[in-house]
Amino acid sequence: VDRAAAMRGADPQAVAFARADVLVKTGRPGEAVAALRAVQTPANAPQTLPRIAFAQAAAGDGSGLLATVGALQVLPDAPAWLAPLAASLQAQAKGDRAEAQTLADRALVEGAEADYAFRHALTADMMAGDKAAAGRHAEAALKRFPQDAFANYIQAAILVDRRAYAEAERHFQISIAQSPVWYVFNDYAALAAETGRFDLAERLARSALASGGGEAAAVWDSLGSALRGLKRAPEALEAFKTAIAKEGGDDPRIQLHYAEAAWEAGDAAAARRSLENVDKNLEPLSIAERERLGRLRQAVAGALHRHRVLAH
């Protein structure tokens, strides 16, 4: 794109549109908006504003998207579905997740066909914790935009919940090919670890770190799980230590992983402290994780009891 921009006779609008596509795909949607704003005119607003809206949706910029949808509404022949979309964004800004989701769905029912409308609807579904609606909207989005990175990611996450791992993997791969963002790498790493492909899980977790996920506890947890599966216990323990120190590191699943690694390293006291954190919130744990928790709790309690007896 830079080379095209430097050529004689380059069309600034075409260059800006291409630059914005690249910036969104590489996780820099805010810069994409700036590139598009630089060439926006009243004459090209029908072409420029939808691209700005998509970049703002990708950035999670609800207020910016609301303003752009408002600008789209006053254009000639503006579609009627923009009204419920705008109302959905207003409800989201007020913190009314249920109303935001209902209105976003209404926009789609009334014929919304823009990528940013689907992106917003999927975001509203996930914020409302409604995976059933997210699944329906992801399927609808993929019929119109089969390569859409976010719709493929949501579809992959839903398929993981259904344990349809092979199909989920395909959607993760499409999402990464379109937009290599850290949280997609990370969720794919978790899938790879779950299916015993620890080499792949390590590569994906390290890609998540390289793509900006270094401050996310979940990424270090994924790396630790991969390293533990590869029998690289000291490295795994260090990764889990980093995970529990990050924001989100109090997640009981992450604390359980650290407790297991600490126990295997012979640090029963550290394992016990982490288990105490797990016990504060057992709800996210699966049945298998609760079974592991029970076994580890018994083992750690027995070790600490023996230590007290010997000390006495």
Side-chain angles (χ1 to χ4, degrees), residues 193-255:
E194 178 70 18
T195 52
R197 291 169 295 163
F198 299 111
D199 284 329
L200 174 61
E202 181 189 4
R203 291 197 299 274
L204 290 165
R206 293 196 185 281
S207 293
L209 290 172
S211 301
E215 292 305 308
V219 177
W220 289 99
D221 180 59
S222 294
L223 179 60
S225 296
L227 294 168
R228 189 171 177 224
L230 292 168
K231 311 301 182 186
R232 289 154 59 184
E235 294 175 77
L237 181 59
E238 288 305 311
F240 289 132
K241 280 183 180 178
T242 303
I244 64 172
K246 298 290 184 181
E247 184 176 358
D250 58 349
D251 185 301
R253 293 161 294 191
I254 296 176
Q255 290 284 337

Side-chain angles (χ1 to χ4, degrees), residues 50-51 53-54 57 113-120 145 148:
R51 288 176 165 83
F54 178 67
E113 57 184 10
D115 45 15
Y116 58 86
F118 282 99
R119 176 74 177 240
H120 171 65
F145 312 103
D148 184 82

Side-chain angles (χ1 to χ4, degrees), residues 10 30 67 69 87 89 91 99 112 115 130 135 153 159-160 165 175-176 193 201 217 242-244 250 255 304 312:
V69 168
L89 288 160
E99 183 69 2
D115 45 15
D130 189 343
Y153 167 66
L159 289 166
V160 167
Y165 294 141
S175 183
I176 287 171
T242 303
I244 64 172
D250 58 349
Q255 290 284 337
L304 292 173
H312 179 69

